[in-house]
Amino acid sequence: MSDAFDYFRAYAVRALCKARAMPRGRMKHLQLVAGRIYNLLKNEAAYGPNAQHLEDFRAAQKLESSLERRPSDRSGGRLAPAVPQSADREAD
């Protein structure tokens, strides 16, 4: 067994646990997809070393990172309104 198997297994477990904690919807589905990708990579790594699965691993990591950014980007591209300064600061 290689180290890749252990790493992919850890990523799969983390991704699937994160998906279980999410509410129903598209984001949960995509998180499950990332977990399944890690699981498939784990199975491939169990049979022998393979450098080709690194591209798939990077794609799954990119998907997960985009899922983490997406909830904070729900403003639709609009900028947040400016916060007015307090009167105390203006008096200084």
Side-chain angles (χ1 to χ4, degrees), residues 14-55:
R14 181 183 56 90
L16 293 173
C17 286
K18 188 188 288 187
R20 285 186 194 128
M22 297 174 95
R24 278 189 190 186
R26 186 169 192 263
M27 301 301 282
K28 181 173 184 162
H29 175 73
L30 291 175
Q31 186 67 41
L32 285 169
V33 168
R36 288 183 191 135
I37 291 170
Y38 290 134
N39 240 345
L40 290 172
L41 292 172
K42 174 193 73 161
N43 293 338
E44 285 182 12
Y47 292 111
N50 186 358
Q52 294 174 348
H53 61 262
L54 289 177
E55 289 179 24

Side-chain angles (χ1 to χ4, degrees), residues 4-89:
F5 174 84
D6 297 324
Y7 287 121
F8 291 142
R9 183 176 184 278
Y11 275 100
V13 168
R14 181 183 56 90
L16 293 173
C17 286
K18 188 188 288 187
R20 285 186 194 128
M22 297 174 95
R24 278 189 190 186
R26 186 169 192 263
M27 301 301 282
K28 181 173 184 162
H29 175 73
L30 291 175
Q31 186 67 41
L32 285 169
V33 168
R36 288 183 191 135
I37 291 170
Y38 290 134
N39 240 345
L40 290 172
L41 292 172
K42 174 193 73 161
N43 293 338
E44 285 182 12
Y47 292 111
N50 186 358
Q52 294 174 348
H53 61 262
L54 289 177
E55 289 179 24
D56 297 330
F57 175 70
R58 289 185 184 117
Q61 278 190 321
K62 188 176 179 182
L63 171 65
E64 270 196 298
S65 67
S66 71
L67 291 176
E68 291 171 1
R69 281 194 311 257
R70 182 164 259 159
S72 64
D73 191 23
R74 292 184 187 240
S75 63
R78 291 182 234 137
L79 295 175
V83 178
Q85 294 180 346
S86 66
D88 296 337
R89 282 188 155 175

